[in-house]
Amino acid sequence: MVTPTEHAFRPQIQGAAGTEAASFRILIVDDDPSLRRTFPHVLARPGRIFDECGTIGEAIRCLEHEHYALILLDYRLPDATGLALLDWLVDHNRDEAVIIISGEDAIDAAIGALRRGADDYVRKPYHVAQLQRAVDGALHKGALEKANRLMSQRLKASERLHRYLVESSPDLIFTLDSAGRFTYLNPRVKALLGFDRSTLMRQPFATLVLPEDRKRIDNLLSQPGNLPGESFNVELRLRRNRLKPDGEAESITVSLTGIPMNTQEDDRRMVGLYGVARDISERKRAEEIISFQAYHDQLTHLPNRVLFKDRLELAIAQAQRRNGTLAVMFIDVDRFKLVNDTFGHAEGDALLRAIAARLSATLRRGDTLARLGGDEFTVLLPDITRPEDAEVIARKVLEAISPPIGLSKGQFRATVSVGIALFPRDGGSAEELTRHADVAMYQVKRSGKNAYRFFDPDLNTRHRDRIALENDLRNALVRNEFELHYQPQVSVVQRRIVGLEALLRWQHPVLGPISPATFVQVAEEVGLIGEISAWVLEQACAQVAEWRRAGIEAPRMSINLSAHDFHRSNIVASITECLERHALRPGQFEIEITESIMMNDTAGVTAKLHELRASGISVAIDDFGTGYSALAYLQKFPVSTLKIDRSFVRDLEGPMTNPIIAAITGIARGFELELVAEGVESEEQARALRALGCDVMQGYLFARPSRAADASAWLQCPDRLFEALESRVPLERLAGLAN
């Protein structure tokens, strides 16, 4: 064997697979050394590499280590004929091209060689051009066969991959013929629909489609010319091979992509359809859940505010076309906070669900019940012929709620307040009707709850005034619109001022003076009373400190506190800190509370009142006798003063003596409490009070509530106050009635 001869460049071979760079290794097997040397020269081409050997055995050893594009094989060799090598190539599945070069004249030799797989047979003697053509043809044929094999392998690999993807796809993949019948189904059909492939083959695709969707798919399959582009996508429900408990067939929702199979490029006639159906049931269920949550209350599953407004607007539009009437009810659960605070929010939720169920059972089929949030519900009553229809339903609502509702902690009797607004009488929009029903409901709340009421335009005016008052009240402190007036408490017998009551006044920039009876309750409801009480305390302390710096000795200062102030845990500390900040003695101040404070949170209130008394601050019960007066509370609470309400003093006009005042004065003496009578406006009232043993009085008879400058004048020259009083009523006549 000689060293291979290799040429420096490679030719371009044009084959079935395209133009590819090729390098050909050629093995020369001949026992004539001169021929072995000649062949590489006469057959030389760029990229051809030649190996040579002289026997069949050497050729086999070369083939065991190398692959050749072509073998030039002599027929007669020292150890065997070339047919032996051809047999070896067949036995070892080799694909080398072989050209037999032989000097045999017998035709049998050529036939035997060609039968054993030789590609060509060149008989000696031969012309060089003949050999060159044979070699070029064999190499070209080999290149084509190799390219063809590669292409075939790629096609088979692609087919295997495509089949694997189709067979393993999580989607249902199928083909239909021109009549819409299945011609192929992948195995996914069994898991997705429960059908065996064999049972569906040649069956119409439409048999799997639910009746409601069948018309759409029939139109798409029967009119392929109307398909958008080359494919279409549609959502369908397909029947499953399983029944629901009610006997109806189960179904799934799929997104179907169909690609028409046409006869040829220019012919749009459809001969079949390639389809991919993806199960989107879970996505559709998720969308339905999201949509439900967007328009329904998650606790009661009732429509929420958004859906209620949408339905109300639709009902209004329909009523306008028919000149009809509808009603909106606003329902609020009374005392709902009590359940939450007492039993917890879980019990409150259970109560709301129970109330929602009762309301739903009460309403008509076409009515809409919605939960706006918290304990508020709204009802749409379409197609009512007269207001009395809404009234009937409102009474049914109250009756349905009245039976006790069983909770895990016990039974609870709920009540509701119902406001009703009518279209078109009370408004022409959804927002206006809902707001007016709310205004009517709020009036029911203020009037005692557990009732219904129709909207009245006067209610809306008062409601707007109330909202305006709330807004102005929030800005009153910032704008410095509050001021304190002071009214003296006079001892008739001692002929001196024994106390001052600080009275809050609001000078509204537009409405003028506003009575505390008008705005204090509003301040309590909107949560401003704490700030206002703190301002009153600060101003009163600052005024007493200012009088002291001016050398004026102020008597005891009385300050009113709201029941809401005693809900604050730091109320006592805030009072004492204010006194310390202005360097005032606690004995100079008295805190006035109402009887209702004693009835709420008795233990907490008692502790705070004891702290006040322990610090040296007096405690007075204002308007005593008008609320929940009880001797037990007087024994429990550290009270120092009782104030007789002006309503009792007013009844002292004339010769009759009010027995309630007589009882109050007796209580004060029995408990050794100070006594102050409010609202004294006439001499007859003052004489009657003195006859009953009351010495300290407060009212217009002595002085009206006045600004700090007037109070300063009284304190500096109290004689002026009494001189003015004696010009109208001789004090001796009053003081002489003392016991």
Side-chain angles (χ1 to χ4, degrees):
M1 183 181 293
V2 269
T3 305
T5 302
E6 182 175 2
H7 289 263
F9 64 94
R10 298 176 180 178
Q12 300 296 314
I13 301 297
Q14 181 70 31
T19 302
E20 297 182 358
S23 178
F24 300 106
R25 184 175 286 274
I26 301 173
L27 176 62
I28 303 170
V29 184
D30 199 305
D31 58 348
D32 186 348
S34 62
L35 285 177
R36 293 202 303 267
R37 289 193 297 271
T38 301
F39 283 159
H41 292 286
V42 300
L43 299 176
R45 295 287 188 278
R48 290 182 182 178
I49 304 169
F50 295 87
D51 291 343
E52 55 186 74
C53 60
T55 65
I56 296 297
E58 290 178 356
I60 290 174
R61 285 192 291 273
C62 289
L63 288 167
E64 287 176 343
H65 295 90
E66 188 65 72
H67 186 277
Y68 293 90
L70 176 63
I71 301 174
L72 296 176
L73 178 62
D74 190 11
Y75 187 82
R76 293 287 180 181
L77 292 166
D79 53 348
T81 66
L83 299 179
L85 186 59
L86 291 174
D87 291 338
W88 186 92
L89 292 173
V90 172
D91 292 341
H92 290 80
N93 295 317
R94 301 295 289 256
D95 60 355
E96 283 88 347
V98 179
I99 297 176
I100 296 292
I101 301 174
S102 173
E104 299 290 329
D105 292 332
I107 191 65
D108 293 342
I111 293 173
L114 294 174
R115 283 180 176 176
R116 281 175 167 81
D119 292 88
D120 206 347
Y121 190 93
V122 178
R123 183 179 289 113
K124 298 177 183 178
Y126 52 82
H127 194 279
V128 172
Q130 180 187 0
L131 180 61
Q132 290 174 339
R133 285 195 300 272
V135 169
D136 290 343
L139 291 176
H140 184 67
K141 177 185 175 185
L144 290 176
E145 290 177 346
K146 182 178 180 181
N148 185 58
R149 285 195 301 272
L150 289 174
M151 185 178 296
S152 178
Q153 290 170 358
R154 290 171 182 168
L155 287 174
K156 289 179 180 179
S158 176
E159 180 183 355
R160 286 195 300 270
L161 177 61
H162 179 72
R163 181 171 294 276
Y164 173 78
L165 292 176
V166 170
E167 298 285 329
S168 305
S169 173
D171 298 330
L172 174 61
I173 299 176
F174 59 91
T175 58
L176 305 177
D177 60 17
S178 59
R181 295 171 301 194
F182 287 110
T183 56
Y184 170 79
L185 282 157
N186 70 342
R188 177 62 174 162
V189 68
K190 179 66 175 179
L192 200 62
L193 300 179
F195 292 100
D196 292 325
R197 284 198 282 182
S198 59
T199 62
L200 293 178
M201 292 298 291
R202 311 307 301 173
Q203 296 298 315
F205 173 73
T207 59
L208 290 181
V209 182
L210 291 190
E212 306 93 277
D213 299 331
R214 192 169 297 163
K215 186 175 182 180
R216 284 191 299 151
I217 192 64
D218 285 344
N219 289 337
L220 287 171
L221 295 179
S222 62
Q223 300 177 10
N226 295 333
L227 295 177
E230 291 298 323
S231 65
F232 65 87
N233 184 271
V234 64
E235 288 186 4
L236 296 171
R237 284 170 295 170
L238 300 183
R239 179 172 56 88
R240 300 192 70 193
N241 191 21
R242 188 185 304 169
L243 297 179
K244 297 179 182 177
D246 59 2
E248 185 181 349
E250 284 190 3
S251 65
I252 64 168
T253 304
V254 298
S255 175
L256 172 63
T257 299
I259 303 175
M261 296 186 291
N262 301 321
T263 54
Q264 57 186 22
E265 187 68 25
D266 297 330
D267 189 350
R268 297 291 295 172
R269 287 179 301 161
M270 190 180 77
V271 297
L273 185 82
Y274 178 86
V276 179
R278 173 162 295 177
D279 182 7
I280 59 171
S281 300
E282 291 299 327
R283 192 192 79 190
K284 296 296 288 185
R285 278 193 287 270
E287 290 175 353
E288 290 172 1
I289 291 172
I290 292 172
S291 176
F292 184 86
Q293 290 177 345
Y295 295 103
H296 291 80
D297 170 55
Q298 296 189 39
L299 177 65
T300 61
H301 295 170
L302 294 174
N304 61 9
R305 185 187 300 271
V306 176
L307 183 54
F308 179 80
K309 181 182 178 184
D310 183 67
R311 291 187 180 178
L312 178 54
E313 288 175 344
L314 178 61
I316 290 173
Q318 293 173 343
Q320 286 174 333
R321 287 196 297 269
R322 298 193 302 263
N323 292 324
T325 305
L326 61 84
V328 173
M329 298 172 59
F330 201 106
I331 303 174
D332 188 273
V333 182
D334 302 327
R335 302 177 298 119
F336 176 70
K337 187 175 183 298
L338 178 64
V339 176
N340 268 350
D341 294 345
T342 306
F343 301 123
H345 289 278
E347 291 291 85
D349 291 346
L351 176 63
L352 289 175
R353 283 192 292 267
I355 290 175
R358 291 190 179 185
L359 292 175
S360 297
T362 303
L363 300 176
R364 304 170 302 176
R365 186 178 183 85
D367 300 337
T368 296
L369 171 65
R371 180 182 178 225
L372 300 190
D375 59 348
E376 295 178 340
F377 297 85
T378 50
V379 177
L380 166 61
L381 304 175
D383 299 326
I384 62 170
T385 58
R386 52 182 183 168
E388 288 76 9
D389 296 340
E391 190 173 5
V392 169
I393 296 176
R395 283 199 296 267
K396 288 182 178 179
V397 165
L398 297 177
E399 293 171 1
I401 300 299
S402 61
I405 296 175
L407 303 176
S408 63
K409 302 294 179 63
Q411 291 190 330
F412 182 80
R413 289 185 178 273
T415 60
V416 294
S417 299
V418 182
I420 308 171
L422 300 174
F423 171 85
R425 186 188 73 183
D426 300 328
S429 67
E431 181 180 354
E432 196 173 19
L433 288 171
T434 305
R435 186 176 70 250
H436 288 170
D438 187 15
V439 170
M441 180 279 298
Y442 181 77
Q443 198 62 29
V444 175
K445 287 278 190 184
R446 294 177 63 88
S447 303
K449 307 181 178 68
N450 193 26
Y452 65 87
R453 181 166 185 166
F454 283 91
F455 173 75
D456 185 341
D458 291 340
L459 292 178
N460 197 36
T461 301
R462 291 197 294 272
H463 200 65
R464 284 199 297 266
D465 292 344
R466 162 65 184 261
I467 293 175
L469 184 65
E470 288 182 12
N471 294 332
D472 292 343
L473 189 58
R474 294 180 188 278
N475 297 320
L477 279 173
V478 178
R479 296 171 180 169
N480 202 26
E481 294 172 2
F482 289 123
E483 62 179 350
L484 286 185
H485 286 196
Y486 302 91
Q487 189 174 34
Q489 296 172 345
V490 176
S491 171
V492 176
V493 174
Q494 299 177 29
R495 191 186 170 90
R496 70 185 184 90
I497 300 173
V498 296
L500 290 174
E501 181 177 3
L503 299 170
L504 180 63
R505 295 292 182 265
W506 180 12
Q507 188 66 31
H508 193 281
V510 176
L511 304 177
I514 298 179
S515 167
T518 301
F519 69 82
V520 167
Q521 182 181 0
V522 176
E524 291 176 339
E525 292 177 2
V526 300
L528 290 174
I529 194 63
E531 296 179 47
I532 293 176
S533 296
W535 183 88
V536 169
L537 178 64
E538 178 66 28
Q539 293 299 312
C541 289
Q543 185 60 62
V544 173
E546 181 180 336
W547 281 332
R548 185 186 60 188
R549 288 191 296 270
I552 302 173
E553 186 62 31
R556 180 180 62 198
M557 177 72 71
S558 295
I559 300 173
N560 291 277
L561 289 184
S562 166
H564 294 264
D565 292 320
F566 278 86
H567 294 159
R568 294 156 46 201
S569 59
N570 65 338
I571 180 62
V572 176
S574 61
I575 294 173
T576 55
E577 287 172 4
C578 187
L579 295 177
E580 292 172 359
R581 190 166 56 253
H582 292 281
L584 302 177
R585 291 180 293 103
Q588 289 181 273
F589 282 83
E590 182 174 72
I591 300 300
E592 295 189 10
I593 63 174
T594 61
E595 291 177 284
S596 61
I597 293 179
M598 297 187 295
M599 300 297 295
N600 299 319
D601 189 21
T602 305
V605 173
T606 302
K608 291 166 186 172
L609 292 180
H610 276 289
E611 288 183 55
L612 288 174
R613 294 290 285 134
S615 66
I617 300 173
S618 301
V619 177
I621 299 179
D622 194 15
D623 303 333
F624 186 76
T626 60
Y628 307 94
S629 302
L631 298 180
Y633 286 111
L634 292 179
Q635 290 177 319
K636 186 180 300 184
F637 287 88
V639 178
S640 55
T641 305
L642 298 182
K643 297 190 73 175
I644 302 173
D645 186 65
R646 65 184 68 248
S647 61
F648 301 135
V649 174
R650 190 180 306 115
D651 294 339
L652 289 175
E653 301 281 351
M656 297 298 295
T657 299
N658 192 314
I660 295 179
I661 295 182
I664 293 174
T665 56
I667 291 171
R669 285 194 298 269
F671 283 93
E672 297 181 350
L673 303 176
E674 296 183 23
L675 192 63
V676 178
E678 295 182 298
V680 181
E681 298 180 359
S682 66
E683 178 185 355
E684 290 79 5
Q685 293 170 346
R687 288 173 60 82
L689 288 168
R690 283 299 302 129
L692 292 171
C694 180
D695 173 42
V696 180
M697 304 178 196
Q698 175 182 344
Y700 289 175
L701 178 63
F702 305 98
R704 290 178 175 272
S706 303
R707 290 183 170 86
D710 295 328
S712 298
W714 303 332
L715 297 177
Q716 286 177 305
C717 301
D719 289 341
R720 293 181 182 177
L721 176 66
F722 291 104
E723 287 172 0
L725 176 61
E726 284 191 321
S727 65
R728 293 176 283 112
V729 180
L731 284 177
E732 288 77 6
R733 290 201 322 219
L734 301 181
L737 294 173
N739 292 338

